[in-house]
Amino acid sequence: MAVTIKDVAKRANVAPSTVSRVIANSSRISEKTKERVRKAMEELGYHPNFNARSLANKSTKTLGIVMPNSAKIAFQNPFFPEVIRGISMKAYQEGYGLYLSTGQTEEEILEEVKHMVYGGRVDGILLLYSRVNDQVMPFLIEQKFPFVLIGRPHNIDEEQVTFVNNDNFKAAKTVTEYLMLLGHERIGFIGGNLDFVVTIDHMKGYEKALSNANIPVRQEYIVHHEELLEGGQDAVIELMSLGERPTALIVADDIMTFGVLKMLADMNVQVPKDMSIVSFNNVMISELSSPTMTTVDIHIYELGFEATNCLINKIKLPELGEQQVIVPHKLVKRESCK
Amino acid sequence: MAVTIKDVAKRANVAPSTVSRVIANSSRISEKTKERVRKAMEELGYHPNFNARSLANKSTKTLGIVMPNSAKIAFQNPFFPEVIRGISMKAYQEGYGLYLSTGQTEEEILEEVKHMVYGGRVDGILLLYSRVNDQVMPFLIEQKFPFVLIGRPHNIDEEQVTFVNNDNFKAAKTVTEYLMLLGHERIGFIGGNLDFVVTIDHMKGYEKALSNANIPVRQEYIVHHEELLEGGQDAVIELMSLGERPTALIVADDIMTFGVLKMLADMNVQVPKDMSIVSFNNVMISELSSPTMTTVDIHIYELGFEATNCLINKIKLPELGEQQVIVPHKLVKRESCK
């Protein structure tokens, strides 16, 4: 038979309501009584029902994680497991559990977020992506529900939102400048899905660096692909079919770069001799490509850790204003540029 | 102000207790009344508190996911995101959410599992790994708590546990036979962590195939490494330093194989001309190695999907006996064998 609050109360020689207050850690109970009740709970093996406690405390000690739609694309990218690793570490340290969204479409995800919020299922939400015209963020703002965005908001005042981001504009500008310093002028850009704010920031940084150097931006050198495995390969076919081929490529994502390297090898284009490549993210397998790739380390783990830290602060101190954190990036030079 | 059950009752012209019964979907309420109450809930924007409903129903509609200890190692392996993708899909279809363990050590994980079980936080648990002398499984068996293992149990009667697994013994035996048919006799084996049951099964299959062919098992050809990124590279150094080098390698994991290919390229050992390689898992980036790797597709997504299906069945029909499901594997021939 399950141990009840009454059993604990009897053992500790207090009223059942006192046991309830000890579970809720009420300041109305003396430390001495708390100790006695907790000892009785331990001896009897009593565990308060989590849902009852959540109801009483209005706290679930759980954080919701909302992934972009299409779990297939999301989970294909090692960015997500690594960011969740950073989230897990901080959540564990602070005694929070994680609740994962499983919706596959934008509508399903919005429905799930509504369930999390209305149903009191989580104390706060981490949005792992920033999409153009996203529905989830306006909903959370309207509900005044604690959330933190990884990325930056689009079409929403930045001061209204707590977010943790890289300076993706600057990162893309820097890698473009780096390639120009190596002597490249014909620099191709293989970007990700234009629905994501990070893609827009990358492209603006690339264009800014070129125009600063008085190099015209050539539209035929800019290719966007969403698909991580085939996208890089398809982009290479497009760019290598041009009359005047680029001599260097900026690729939005390390996994795409694997595809780019593979397709270039198939075409007998040597990297870095005939083509230089810079990539973004520095996921863990980036050091295993042939040649190893030069890439921007965006410190994915820290993005997750820092975002969770901000969210827990927001939950604990609702009066705290919104915070904007920029996690620094770092160009990791390996073998793919010349 | 939040909408309450009383507001809904007033609007629908029923007693508050009737509203509660409609929320619990009681058979004592007519469909007509249910419809009227639900319409009132919708019009007023009433959402029952999830924790209150969980308390009443003794159901959380949530599944716990328990990862192996050290989130770093786990998330480094694309196996885990892919298996969670399969889990997500099935969970979403059946209206379940996912709760993720975040503990870093074996002790922390066991503590978390106890919280999930005692606290009524989840309806069932998915164990994503099978470790020798694991503490979690005996605890769940003792508690008679619904769980499904991905992998197979160790030192526990298989009939006592519902699990979803590949036939890893047979898969390893088949790839060894495949390499022997290609003419190889000196076959190295680069295995994973010996604490995991899959590693033991792989090794037994490899040894069985060799002994069936009267080829002695040479201990110096068997190397075990846990670390996915450096492990493969270190193993190659060990094996290539032997007086009589192997001409073929079986590698436990595709990510390790990236390291193996990289180190062999650095040593100017050509694959498949000088060294044939077969790997396991067929994670999504396996097709992007140079040369592309021949590997055993273990259908990771299906493992997750099927395990979730079994778990939900167990939750819904506790009287159902334990089930053992073997997901078929398939050798995917690419460019790394000769």
Side-chain angles (χ1 to χ4, degrees):
Chain A
M1 262 237 344
V3 180
T4 68
I5 282 190
K6 280 183 191 166
D7 301 324
V8 176
K10 205 172 160 193
R11 175 90 161 214
N13 204 15
V14 297
S17 59
T18 306
V19 177
S20 299
R21 289 201 188 95
V22 173
I23 292 167
N25 202 14
S26 161
S27 56
R28 288 163 59 194
I29 308 291
S30 75
E31 279 308 316
K32 211 176 138 193
T33 307
K34 278 184 188 171
E35 208 171 288
R36 195 164 79 237
V37 171
R38 283 180 186 143
K39 192 159 162 270
M41 282 165 63
E42 202 172 302
E43 283 166 3
L44 294 170
Y46 173 78
H47 297 267
N49 181 289
F50 176 77
N51 300 300
R53 206 168 43 173
S54 294
L55 259 185
N57 291 352
K58 298 196 188 310
S59 155
T60 63
K61 278 292 208 176
T62 305
L63 309 176
I65 295 182
V66 177
M67 311 263 301
N69 71 4
S70 176
K72 185 164 169 70
I73 288 168
F75 276 119
Q76 271 190 353
N77 196 329
F79 173 86
F80 290 101
E82 181 67 359
V83 82
I84 291 177
R85 193 170 72 82
I87 293 168
S88 286
M89 179 62 85
K90 185 66 189 172
Y92 186 79
Q93 286 177 2
E94 303 282 337
Y96 280 81
L98 300 176
Y99 184 85
L100 216 59
S101 75
T102 54
Q104 310 291 315
T105 67
E106 283 186 69
E107 293 70 38
E108 288 173 358
I109 290 170
L110 183 59
E111 264 318 296
E112 274 191 290
V113 169
K114 285 183 180 175
H115 277 289
M116 288 188 204
V117 172
Y118 292 139
R121 199 157 191 165
V122 300
D123 295 346
I125 285 178
L126 291 157
L127 293 177
L128 300 200
Y129 63 98
S130 176
R131 179 189 284 279
V132 174
N133 299 323
D134 175 57
Q135 299 297 303
V136 172
M137 221 176 329
F139 168 76
L140 291 173
I141 292 170
E142 181 204 305
Q143 295 288 324
K144 296 188 170 53
F145 195 80
F147 76 95
V148 171
L149 170 69
I150 293 182
R152 68 173 183 85
H154 186 254
N155 282 344
I156 292 172
D157 184 6
E158 294 202 349
E159 317 249 298
Q160 260 196 291
V161 176
T162 292
F163 65 83
V164 177
N165 198 15
N166 303 109
D167 190 339
N168 294 309
F169 169 85
K170 194 175 165 200
K173 184 166 164 282
T174 301
V175 301
T176 311
E177 288 163 349
Y178 172 66
L179 288 170
M180 291 190 297
L181 284 171
L182 292 178
H184 296 280
E185 293 197 350
R186 303 205 305 273
I187 302 171
F189 177 86
I190 303 177
N193 187 335
L194 272 166
D195 276 353
F196 291 105
V197 178
V198 55
T199 306
I200 297 169
D201 289 347
H202 277 163
M203 203 168 59
K204 283 188 180 157
Y206 160 79
E207 290 178 349
K208 179 69 177 168
L210 289 178
S211 67
N212 280 356
N214 291 315
I215 297 177
V217 174
R218 296 165 66 159
Q219 288 310 314
E220 70 268 30
Y221 279 1
I222 302 176
V223 184
H224 287 282
H225 272 284
E226 179 172 16
E227 223 283 314
L228 286 173
L229 291 181
E230 276 96 46
Q233 305 188 63
D234 291 353
V236 168
I237 296 173
E238 283 184 54
L239 292 168
M240 298 304 282
S241 305
L242 295 173
E244 204 170 26
R245 293 174 172 184
T247 62
L249 298 174
I250 295 168
V251 187
D253 185 285
D254 292 346
I255 299 300
M256 267 189 160
T257 299
F258 270 93
V260 167
L261 288 170
K262 172 127 207 75
M263 185 55 81
L264 288 172
D266 289 352
M267 291 176 171
N268 278 318
V269 176
Q270 287 186 45
V271 178
K273 196 173 138 287
D274 306 324
M275 182 70 79
S276 288
I277 294 176
V278 187
S279 177
F280 289 94
N281 289 3
N282 196 32
V283 297
M284 61 113 186
I285 52 162
S286 302
E287 57 187 278
L288 296 182
S289 65
S290 306
T292 55
M293 60 182 81
T294 292
T295 185
V296 178
D297 191 336
I298 60 168
H299 298 116
I300 303 171
Y301 177 90
E302 283 73 20
L303 287 169
F305 192 92
E306 204 41 65
T308 310
N309 187 32
C310 289
L311 182 57
I312 293 172
N313 283 339
K314 246 181 118 167
I315 292 166
K316 287 186 179 164
L317 304 163
E319 67 279 12
L320 210 76
E322 306 299 337
Q323 256 190 295
Q324 288 81 38
V325 177
I326 299 296
V327 170
H329 60 263
K330 184 173 172 252
L331 185 64
V332 179
K333 293 188 198 101
R334 295 201 185 98
E335 305 167 346
S336 63
C337 289
K338 212 187 73 135
Chain B
M1 265 252 319
V3 181
T4 66
I5 282 190
K6 280 185 190 165
D7 301 325
V8 176
K10 205 171 160 192
R11 175 89 160 215
N13 205 16
V14 295
S17 59
T18 305
V19 177
S20 299
R21 289 202 187 94
V22 172
I23 292 167
N25 204 14
S26 161
S27 55
R28 290 161 60 191
I29 309 292
S30 74
E31 279 308 315
K32 213 176 137 192
T33 307
K34 279 183 187 171
E35 208 172 285
R36 196 163 81 236
V37 171
R38 282 177 187 146
K39 192 159 162 269
M41 282 166 62
E42 202 172 302
E43 283 166 3
L44 294 171
Y46 173 78
H47 296 268
N49 180 289
F50 175 76
N51 301 301
R53 208 169 37 173
S54 293
L55 259 186
N57 290 353
K58 299 198 189 306
S59 155
T60 63
K61 277 292 207 177
T62 305
L63 308 178
I65 295 182
V66 177
M67 312 263 300
N69 71 4
S70 173
K72 186 166 170 70
I73 288 168
F75 275 117
Q76 269 189 354
N77 196 329
F79 173 86
F80 289 101
E82 182 66 1
V83 81
I84 291 178
R85 194 170 72 81
I87 293 169
S88 286
M89 179 61 84
K90 185 65 189 172
Y92 186 80
Q93 286 177 2
E94 303 283 336
Y96 281 82
L98 299 177
Y99 185 84
L100 216 60
S101 75
T102 55
Q104 309 291 316
T105 66
E106 282 187 69
E107 292 71 38
E108 288 173 359
I109 291 170
L110 183 60
E111 263 319 294
E112 275 191 289
V113 169
K114 285 184 178 173
H115 277 291
M116 289 189 203
V117 171
Y118 291 140
R121 199 157 190 163
V122 300
D123 295 347
I125 285 178
L126 291 158
L127 293 178
L128 299 201
Y129 64 98
S130 177
R131 179 189 283 279
V132 174
N133 298 323
D134 176 56
Q135 299 296 303
V136 172
M137 221 177 326
F139 169 76
L140 292 172
I141 292 171
E142 180 205 304
Q143 295 288 323
K144 296 188 172 52
F145 196 79
F147 76 95
V148 171
L149 169 69
I150 294 181
R152 69 171 181 85
H154 185 256
N155 281 345
I156 293 172
D157 184 6
E158 294 203 347
E159 317 248 298
Q160 261 196 289
V161 176
T162 292
F163 65 84
V164 177
N165 198 14
N166 303 109
D167 190 339
N168 295 309
F169 169 85
K170 194 174 165 198
K173 184 165 164 283
T174 301
V175 301
T176 311
E177 288 163 350
Y178 172 66
L179 288 169
M180 291 190 297
L181 283 171
L182 292 177
H184 296 281
E185 294 197 349
R186 302 205 306 273
I187 302 171
F189 177 87
I190 303 178
N193 187 335
L194 272 166
D195 275 354
F196 290 105
V197 178
V198 54
T199 306
I200 297 169
D201 289 347
H202 277 162
M203 203 168 58
K204 283 188 181 156
Y206 160 78
E207 291 177 350
K208 179 72 178 166
L210 290 178
S211 67
N212 280 355
N214 290 317
I215 297 177
V217 175
R218 296 165 64 158
Q219 288 309 315
E220 70 268 30
Y221 279 2
I222 302 178
V223 184
H224 287 282
H225 271 285
E226 178 172 20
E227 223 284 314
L228 286 172
L229 291 181
E230 275 95 44
Q233 305 188 61
D234 291 353
V236 168
I237 295 174
E238 283 184 53
L239 291 169
M240 297 304 281
S241 304
L242 295 174
E244 204 171 25
R245 295 174 171 182
T247 61
L249 298 174
I250 295 169
V251 188
D253 185 286
D254 291 347
I255 298 302
M256 266 190 161
T257 299
F258 271 94
V260 167
L261 288 170
K262 173 129 205 77
M263 184 55 80
L264 289 172
D266 289 352
M267 291 177 172
N268 278 317
V269 176
Q270 287 187 44
V271 177
K273 196 173 138 288
D274 305 322
M275 182 70 79
S276 288
I277 295 176
V278 187
S279 177
F280 289 93
N281 288 3
N282 198 29
V283 297
M284 62 115 186
I285 53 162
S286 303
E287 58 186 278
L288 296 181
S289 65
S290 304
T292 54
M293 61 182 81
T294 292
T295 187
V296 178
D297 191 336
I298 60 167
H299 298 116
I300 304 171
Y301 177 90
E302 283 73 21
L303 286 170
F305 191 92
E306 203 43 64
T308 310
N309 188 32
C310 288
L311 182 58
I312 293 172
N313 283 339
K314 246 181 117 166
I315 292 166
K316 287 185 178 164
L317 305 163
E319 67 280 12
L320 211 74
E322 307 298 338
Q323 256 189 293
Q324 288 81 37
V325 178
I326 299 296
V327 170
H329 59 263
K330 186 174 170 253
L331 185 63
V332 180
K333 292 189 198 101
R334 295 202 185 98
E335 303 166 347
S336 63
C337 290
K338 211 183 76 131

